[in-house]
Amino acid sequence: MATDLEIARATPLRPIAEIAARAGIPDAALIPYGRYKAKIDLDFVRAAEARPEGALVLVTGINPTAAGEGKTTTTIGLGDALNALGTRAMICLRAPSLGPCFGTKGGATGGGRAQVAPMEEINLHFTGDFHAVTSANNLLAAMVDNHLHWGNGLGLDPRRVGWRRAMDMNDRSLRNTVVGLGGAAHGVPREDGFDITAASEVMAILCLARDLADLQARLGRIIVGERRDGSAVTARDLKADGAMAALLRDALAPNLVQTLEGSPALVHGGPFANIAHGCNSVIATRLGLRLAEVVVTEAGFGADLGAEKFLHIKCRAAGLAPAACVIVATVRALKLHGGAAKAELAREDLGALARGMANLARHVENMGKFGLPVIVALNRFTSDTEAEIAAVRAAMARLGVEAVLCTHWADGAAGARDLARAVQAAIAARTARFTPLYPEAMPLAGKLRTIAREIYRAAEVQIPPPVAARLARWEEQGFGRLPVCVAKTQFSFSADPGLLGAPEGHVLPVREVRLSAGAGFVVAICGDIMTMPGLPKHPAAERIGLDAAGRIVGLF
Amino acid sequence: MATDLEIARATPLRPIAEIAARAGIPDAALIPYGRYKAKIDLDFVRAAEARPEGALVLVTGINPTAAGEGKTTTTIGLGDALNALGTRAMICLRAPSLGPCFGTKGGATGGGRAQVAPMEEINLHFTGDFHAVTSANNLLAAMVDNHLHWGNGLGLDPRRVGWRRAMDMNDRSLRNTVVGLGGAAHGVPREDGFDITAASEVMAILCLARDLADLQARLGRIIVGERRDGSAVTARDLKADGAMAALLRDALAPNLVQTLEGSPALVHGGPFANIAHGCNSVIATRLGLRLAEVVVTEAGFGADLGAEKFLHIKCRAAGLAPAACVIVATVRALKLHGGAAKAELAREDLGALARGMANLARHVENMGKFGLPVIVALNRFTSDTEAEIAAVRAAMARLGVEAVLCTHWADGAAGARDLARAVQAAIAARTARFTPLYPEAMPLAGKLRTIAREIYRAAEVQIPPPVAARLARWEEQGFGRLPVCVAKTQFSFSADPGLLGAPEGHVLPVREVRLSAGAGFVVAICGDIMTMPGLPKHPAAERIGLDAAGRIVGLF
């Protein structure tokens, strides 16, 4: 069987200017990066704001399993199918991180006949946005430590520096470090650590900023640490916001690429809805809505993380309201949620499927709470039996939801035609009434409890006293209106990655909270989740290389 | 007076394809990065190898001072002037690092009418080469620590890991760190540290590799550390070389930009001849020689560092032999070397000038030892008096060398016309007989003593016993034939930045040695020089930002 990379390579790409022209983007607004990638000039983005908006379709999924669900693939297939049916569609994805490419999960450009291309370039350095975020994050860190070194005029408490360094790499050894060792010439020793770039507040700011002025204002509001009296020291206090904005200027411009079927795709923003908010950038999504009749966008991992954050953080900040929601599931993954063994997934198992369907059913119900019409995309594998497919369809029909069979991985646009028709119908019905689950005015702990109760179905949220005290202080300081961005495992509704299916009555243990005053949310880190992943014993990097012609091999 | 950025912005640039065409590079070989930067396809680079070679001209300088000498500016002005005279010239520069842009020194794109453009883009992320080097360096580091974490099958001694992490930032707090803290889930605790990206062995490998296969072979030879028995563990042992090569594939392709006068310039490779070898890449210089009649290239800082490494490391590795050498000096800098105060530089001071000229004279003599014809470029400032200029000319005439007055900063190509004519004459005379100062077979300590004696005029090289033991071991292991890359202050012939002029009889204290088996040299760190710079009390970053139109301001 051909690999994704082989399929992508065998498909001739069109010059990016041709893709842009079809999407309504003139040549003068294109900044080429190689032959098949381009950034879109921010002047054009600004001018497009005056146009009418298309409909926004969110693609999300069940809790991911080792079996793979194909959420990115479905997003791409749906966009391709809409275009094939004559509905002008723009696909909006977040860009991949280097971490998973070299670790376990691989790239994030879809697969089979449903890919964005050129896959090696998008998965590796792309247009440099992640590197710009890393640089801006670490310039601020260097200016913090430099300030301490040169006398600490702002009175920052070195023990209370909250700003961590960033690297776009899975590197567990950088989670907890001590810096500034070696004597007086080499800085002030203090505990520090690195997060993966996608989890940096700078990435969230890039994803949520409306324009360059908003970008710089948000960067200036970043709180790097506290004085002994508890007052905040910001990036603006350090005069770092201007240089950070300069580093990020080009990164704010959305990136245009194409699918293997020639659909336009805006790939822009950071991934990892488990530890970040992990969505396509506001600027790219808003541009897409002005260029296309339908924007198909993805929110990462399960709907408990990606969709909840997409709706509460991104949509609210950007004034967006989805017209429909697609939840991706596979028979194989549902059987895993129902207790089937990974080695047994090719065998029909209606019992495990029935049990595992509880995971899907709960996500369907949750998305309904937000006032969104839901369609289930059942991403077909060859091992799925007719009886299994019929069982999913019947269970969803009982919830009043259509489960549509998809084969875009093998068949491209044709394989997602039925899904596209269902999405067209949902948009035309105009039944969406987007309603957040909590008001802005609710206290931070209350927001956290609301998400835990309504989405995760936890019985309790465990907030240790020092964490509660921090939340209370931030409310006094005026940050109480911010939404909460939960960091937790993606594998379960709970904070325990082993609790599959649809657990209830569990406890959500909050380990740590971080204030992202520039991005505009409070991060609540729950359970054992790490904001810097590690590599497996045999990382994918061991198999990546160049062939004799200098082409990249082993990337998946 | 207009700033460099304002001058650059006021000059309309030509589309990069037009610059390429004039340089003999077809459109099909261009990979655009924005409208005014492009990478040149490696297939075209390989095919060009069959063409005849032009002449190579090295531009170097006296030991730098706070007054500024204008070495990059002279390199650009000379290239522009040669083109204006009808000699097809290619300018080959190394790319700037973010560190000095945010620190003290500023960017590295020349100044006045002698600049490469677009200056903000070249000085910030450019085409992403530095970010690719940082990523490859840190992927290897992550794989080292990951290997320790998962059982250390290769038997690496965690106390003897020599591979450091890298960041393209001035950040003294990262010089000495401890990583892997926090318990068993977070890696193996050990001492570590970061170098600035330009000082990474990966940067040297990128600069010295002839093609992709050579790049990957060199990456594989990197020694990350030792076992308890002293045997080496390499990047290839960790299976990291393939993924590193994949990360660096696009970075190996040379970058084409233009000067404000429309000359082509290949800006490729890492700076910092004080702590690295710091030259334009071998691949770019060799390509330039096949496209142009004359390549003008720069070696950083004073000729004691930049030119010595250019000749012993780069030219020998790449089979290059310069036809002439230009040494840049200014009256102001020579007066500083002669003991004048910085505030008094605008006043005529023939005494200080005469004393400071010893610095220039020694560099002239040193370059002669390599068998190169020398021309002195006297980069004119408005405060220079006729008597001062005459004194420099006369002193150089006594050494049999022409000192040519240049005003390219103010006048562009016209201001370097005389210099270009002198260079044309030197090339035509064919008197160059490039001769390295030491043979490959000389032991490592002997090479170090040769450089110290012949170039620095030190009385003694202090090699502490543990350092001597390491050198001896590397010789036993077969690394004795490698050249030595000295890391020391750029401000003096000695390792003491305060010893200006032409000191003699000083001691060169070797602090540490590092084996760069992939790059193919041994680094000898002398005196207090740091492989990770720090920021000043008020870094330039504080003044960098965006204007209302979103343009970058404050970069210099």
Side-chain angles (χ1 to χ4, degrees), chain A residues 9 27-35 37 41 43 46 98 102 120-121 124-126 128 131-136 138-139 141-143 145-146 149-151 165-188 192 194 212 215-216 238-250 530 534-546 549-553, chain B residues 9 27-35 37 41 43 46 98 102 120-121 124-126 128 131-136 138-139 141-143 145-146 149-151 165-188 192 194 212 215-216 238-250 530 534-546 549-553:
Chain A
R9 263 205 202 117
D27 219 37
L30 278 194
I31 307 159
Y33 279 66
R35 294 178 189 124
K37 311 177 301 248
D41 198 288
D43 291 338
R46 192 183 317 112
L98 286 176
F102 297 132
E120 322 87 291
E121 297 178 28
L124 295 180
H125 306 294
F126 199 22
H131 294 314
V133 169
T134 306
S135 295
N138 293 337
L139 173 62
M143 291 176 80
D145 277 309
N146 192 56
H149 178 76
W150 287 105
R165 287 176 167 86
M167 190 180 283
D168 189 25
M169 197 63 68
N170 284 7
D171 193 345
R172 73 172 63 71
S173 285
L174 292 178
R175 286 174 191 157
N176 302 291
T177 67
V178 173
V179 299
L181 298 172
H186 311 296
V188 176
D192 190 21
F194 285 67
L212 281 172
L215 177 81
Q216 180 160 349
L238 287 163
K239 300 187 183 134
D241 50 327
M244 292 172 77
L247 278 170
L248 292 166
R249 186 192 60 164
D250 296 343
M530 293 294 152
L535 290 171
K537 183 161 187 180
H538 290 293
E542 292 182 356
R543 297 177 294 279
I544 294 173
L546 299 174
R551 296 180 311 182
I552 289 166
V553 292
Chain B
R9 265 209 200 113
D27 218 38
L30 277 195
I31 306 159
Y33 279 67
R35 294 179 189 123
K37 313 177 299 246
D41 197 288
D43 290 337
R46 192 184 316 114
L98 286 177
F102 298 131
E120 320 90 289
E121 296 179 27
L124 295 181
H125 307 292
F126 199 23
H131 294 314
V133 170
T134 307
S135 294
N138 293 338
L139 173 62
M143 289 177 80
D145 277 309
N146 193 55
H149 177 76
W150 287 106
R165 288 177 166 86
M167 192 180 283
D168 189 25
M169 197 62 68
N170 285 6
D171 193 346
R172 74 171 63 72
S173 286
L174 292 179
R175 286 175 190 155
N176 302 293
T177 66
V178 173
V179 299
L181 299 172
H186 311 295
V188 176
D192 190 21
F194 285 68
L212 281 173
L215 176 80
Q216 180 161 348
L238 287 163
K239 301 190 182 124
D241 50 327
M244 292 172 77
L247 278 170
L248 292 166
R249 186 192 61 166
D250 295 343
M530 292 294 152
L535 290 171
K537 184 162 186 178
H538 289 292
E542 293 182 355
R543 297 177 293 281
I544 294 173
L546 300 175
R551 296 179 314 183
I552 289 166
V553 293

Side-chain angles (χ1 to χ4, degrees), chain A residues 269-327:
Chain A
F272 299 164
N274 51 352
I275 55 177
H277 80 286
C279 298
N280 179 258
S281 73
V282 163
I283 214 165
T285 303
R286 288 175 63 97
L287 174 64
L289 287 169
R290 269 125 190 116
L291 294 173
E293 293 169 87
V294 177
V295 163
V296 185
T297 193
E298 171 190 2
F301 294 125
D304 55 322
L305 283 166
E308 186 272 320
K309 294 173 183 179
F310 173 83
L311 295 166
H312 277 143
I313 297 175
K314 174 177 165 180
C315 286
R316 205 138 59 164
L320 299 172
C325 172
V326 173
I327 302 181

